[in-house]
Amino acid sequence: MADQYDVVVVGGGAVGENAAGRCAQHGLTVAVVEEHLLGGECSYYACMPSKALLRPGEVMDAVRRVPGAREAVTGELDAASALRRRDKLASYWDDGGQQEWVAGQGIDLFRGHGRLTGERAVEVADEHGSRRLLHAHRAVVLATGSRAAVPPVEGIGDIGVWDSRDITTAREVPERLVVLGGGVVGVEMAQAWRTLGARIVLVEMAERLLSAEEPFAGAEVAEALRELGVEVYTGTQVTSVSRASGDGPVTATLDGGPTVEADEFVVAVGRSAITEDLGLDTVGLEPGGYLETDDSLRVRGVEGDWLYAVGDCNGRNLLTHMGKYQARIAGDVIAGKPNVARADHGITPRVVFTTPLVGAVGLTEAGARASGYRIDTVSHDTGGVAGAVTKGGGLSGTSKLVIDTDRRMLLGATFTGPAADELVHAATIAIAGEVPLDTLWHAVPSFPTVSEVWLRLLESYGL
C-alpha cells in the first residue's frame, strides 16, 4: 500500500527543499526523496565550498591594496586552514542540520532513489534494496539537478578526470592542474587554487572567457588570472589526454601541438541533466535530457498537470537561486495560487566570484540586438567613483547598461570590479519592476559608495 501525500518531491537539494517547504507553508502534506545529502550540490560541492576556497585570496588582495593594512601581511596563505574552513562551510558533508529543518517543516524524508512508476506514483529504493511506494494526490515535483558534462576528448575516459565535485572537495593543494573550461566554474577554481599555491593552466575553446557575458568581463578576468600566474589559453581545444600510470601525471595535448602536464585534469565545460533513471517512460516521456516545462513549471507532454520540474533538470536556468525561485513558483501553483516564472525570461542575475567580481543581469548588448530590440548602451569605470577609491588602490572595472531605446528602460546590466556582486541587485530590481530611467534618476546613491556609479551611468545617458 502506498504512503499518501499531497506532494512528493524527488530530489532534496536546495531547489527540492524550497519546493517542499513552499508546499508545506501552504498547508499541504509533503514527502521528499533524497539518495545522497539534503541540501544538494550547492551546499556541499558548489556554491558554499567554492566561495570558501576563493575567500582567502580575495581578502589578501583587498588588504594589500590598503596602505597601513598591507604592511601587516607578512606571510603566505595558510592553505591547510583555508581547507578546514571550506570543510566547515560545507557542513563537513553532514546533512544533519538540513534533516532538522525538513522535520521542522513537517516534511517526511525518504532516503533512497526515487523514480516514477506511473501517474502520481513514486517508488523509493533504498541502499539495502527495500522499496516503498509513495502516491501524490496533487503533484510530483522533480528536482534532480545536474552533473558535470564530460567532453569527447580522446583518452578522457581512461585517465580519471576531476569534475566540479572533485575540485571543490580536494583534501590538499595539487602542485599542478589543467582546467578545461573558461566558464564560471573554470575561472573561479583557477583563481582559488592558484591563490592556494597550485600552478594552473586554463584552456577555453571559445575566443574569450565567460563567453556568455559582455566581452569586457572575460577580458578583465583573463588579465587578472594571468597577473596571478595562471596560464590562460583561449580559442584553444584539448585534443587528447593521457596519464603515465594509475596515479601519474596527466599530459594534455592542445590543438596546434603543445602539451602541458599536470597532476589532475579538471573538466568544467558545462552540465547535463540527471533524468535518465526517473521512470519518465512510465508517463510517456523520453528518459534523459532536460525536461521541458511551461512557465508554471509543469512538465510538457504529461496530461493532468500533476508533474513539475524545477532547477537544473529543466534546463531553463542552471543557477541555484533561479532554481529556488522556480521551486517557490511551483509550490504556489500546486497549492492553487497562479504564478509564472517571469524572471526566467530576461531577468536572470548572475555573479562570478573572481577578483575582479563580475555581476550581470538580463541581456547583454549582443543578446539584446539578437532579440530585435533598439538599444543604447552606456559605460563607466566602476573604480572611478569615490566609494571605490575608499576601498583601496588600483581598483577598476567596467559598469555597462543596455537600454531599451523605445521604452527608456533597462534590458541588462553588467558590472565588474568593486562591489559588482551587490550592484547587480539594483539592476535586477529596475528590470523586474520595469522602472523608467527618468524615475531611476531619483534613486539617489549614498556617498561615498560604489553605487554612485549608477549616477555616472545615468548622467552618461543624458539624464
Side-chain angles (χ1 to χ4, degrees):
M1 184 176 292
D3 294 283
Q4 305 292 318
Y5 293 91
D6 292 321
V7 182
V8 176
V9 180
V10 180
V15 175
E17 286 180 326
N18 269 256
R22 191 74 163 190
C23 289
Q25 289 171 15
H26 286 301
L28 303 178
T29 59
V30 186
V32 168
V33 181
E34 174 56 52
E35 61 181 320
H36 187 41
L37 294 172
L38 281 172
E41 205 76 11
C42 184
S43 300
Y44 307 106
Y45 304 108
C47 311
M48 297 306 291
S50 67
K51 304 313 165 277
L53 292 170
L54 284 160
R55 183 61 176 161
E58 176 187 347
V59 172
M60 290 286 282
D61 179 75
V63 170
R64 285 170 172 157
R65 291 181 184 276
V66 182
R70 66 180 171 221
E71 287 79 7
V73 180
T74 58
E76 300 299 321
L77 287 178
D78 184 340
S81 294
L83 294 181
R84 285 194 294 271
R85 181 174 181 268
R86 182 273 316 272
D87 294 351
K88 182 177 181 180
L89 264 65
S91 302
Y92 303 101
W93 295 275
D94 183 324
D95 64 359
Q98 297 302 110
Q99 291 182 57
E100 291 179 9
W101 181 86
V102 166
Q105 298 295 308
I107 299 165
D108 287 348
L109 171 63
F110 292 86
R111 292 285 191 181
H113 179 75
R115 64 190 316 275
L116 297 165
T117 58
E119 184 175 339
R120 304 173 196 268
V122 175
E123 182 185 73
V124 183
D126 68 19
E127 60 181 349
H128 306 295
S130 298
R131 298 180 183 275
R132 194 160 183 175
L133 188 63
L134 310 179
H135 183 269
H137 294 290
R138 292 203 183 194
V140 173
V141 182
L142 301 178
T144 51
S146 65
R147 62 169 65 90
V150 179
V153 175
E154 181 184 341
I156 204 166
D158 304 322
I159 66 167
V161 300
W162 278 13
D163 63 14
S164 54
R165 286 192 171 193
D166 299 302
I167 190 62
T168 56
T169 61
R171 307 313 304 167
E172 58 186 24
V173 180
E175 184 178 343
R176 303 167 299 173
L177 289 172
V178 172
V179 179
L180 179 60
V184 177
V185 175
V187 297
E188 287 189 351
M189 290 298 92
Q191 176 180 307
W193 289 102
R194 177 67 193 126
T195 59
L196 291 173
R199 299 203 307 271
I200 309 290
V201 175
L202 177 63
V203 183
E204 167 57 44
M205 181 173 65
E207 293 301 320
R208 54 189 171 90
L209 302 183
L210 302 175
S211 59
E213 302 299 345
E214 294 283 5
F216 66 80
E220 291 176 22
V221 169
E223 181 181 2
L225 288 173
R226 289 187 174 109
E227 288 178 356
L228 269 180
V230 176
E231 195 172 344
V232 179
Y233 291 88
T234 57
T236 304
Q237 297 188 54
V238 174
T239 57
S240 66
V241 290
S242 61
R243 193 183 288 272
S245 60
D247 58 355
V250 174
T251 299
T253 302
L254 311 185
D255 56 3
T259 61
V260 291
E261 277 199 352
D263 300 294
E264 300 295 344
F265 185 83
V266 183
V267 173
V269 295
R271 311 287 295 178
S272 59
I274 302 174
T275 56
E276 65 276 2
D277 188 23
L278 291 181
L280 296 175
D281 55 312
T282 68
V283 296
L285 298 174
E286 188 73 24
Y290 293 112
L291 295 166
E292 184 182 356
T293 67
D294 63 19
D295 284 344
S296 293
L297 288 311
R298 299 183 185 95
V299 177
R300 297 188 188 277
V302 178
E303 294 184 3
D305 292 341
W306 61 270
L307 185 62
Y308 294 72
V310 292
D312 282 13
C313 68
N314 66 30
R316 293 169 65 102
N317 241 317
L318 275 65
L319 295 164
T320 298
H321 49 279
M322 296 307 295
K324 291 162 71 173
Y325 162 76
Q326 294 171 8
R328 295 190 292 271
I329 287 173
D332 286 349
V333 173
I334 291 165
K337 178 182 176 182
N339 209 341
V340 294
R342 203 179 132 233
D344 275 349
H345 305 292
I347 321 177
T348 298
R350 56 252 181 217
V351 174
V352 186
F353 290 87
T354 45
T355 302
L357 286 159
V358 179
V361 62
L363 299 176
T364 61
E365 178 180 349
R369 293 191 189 283
S371 297
Y373 288 101
R374 290 198 322 126
I375 66 168
D376 293 315
T377 66
V378 290
S379 298
H380 195 276
D381 175 11
T382 314
V385 295
V389 174
T390 66
K391 292 183 179 297
L395 290 170
S396 59
T398 306
S399 294
K400 177 177 179 177
L401 303 182
V402 179
I403 298 163
D404 182 336
T405 307
D406 297 323
R407 296 186 303 149
R408 290 174 65 83
M409 293 179 184
L410 287 186
L411 290 170
T414 301
F415 305 93
T416 63
D421 53 339
E422 300 297 344
L423 288 171
V424 75
H425 192 57
T428 304
I429 293 170
I431 297 172
E434 298 184 332
V435 181
L437 294 187
D438 297 282
T439 300
L440 198 59
W441 171 252
H442 297 283
V444 182
S446 299
F447 183 87
T449 64
V450 183
S451 292
E452 194 183 11
V453 76
W454 278 96
L455 178 57
R456 303 282 87 87
L457 288 165
L458 293 174
E459 286 178 336
S460 297
Y461 192 59
L463 292 172

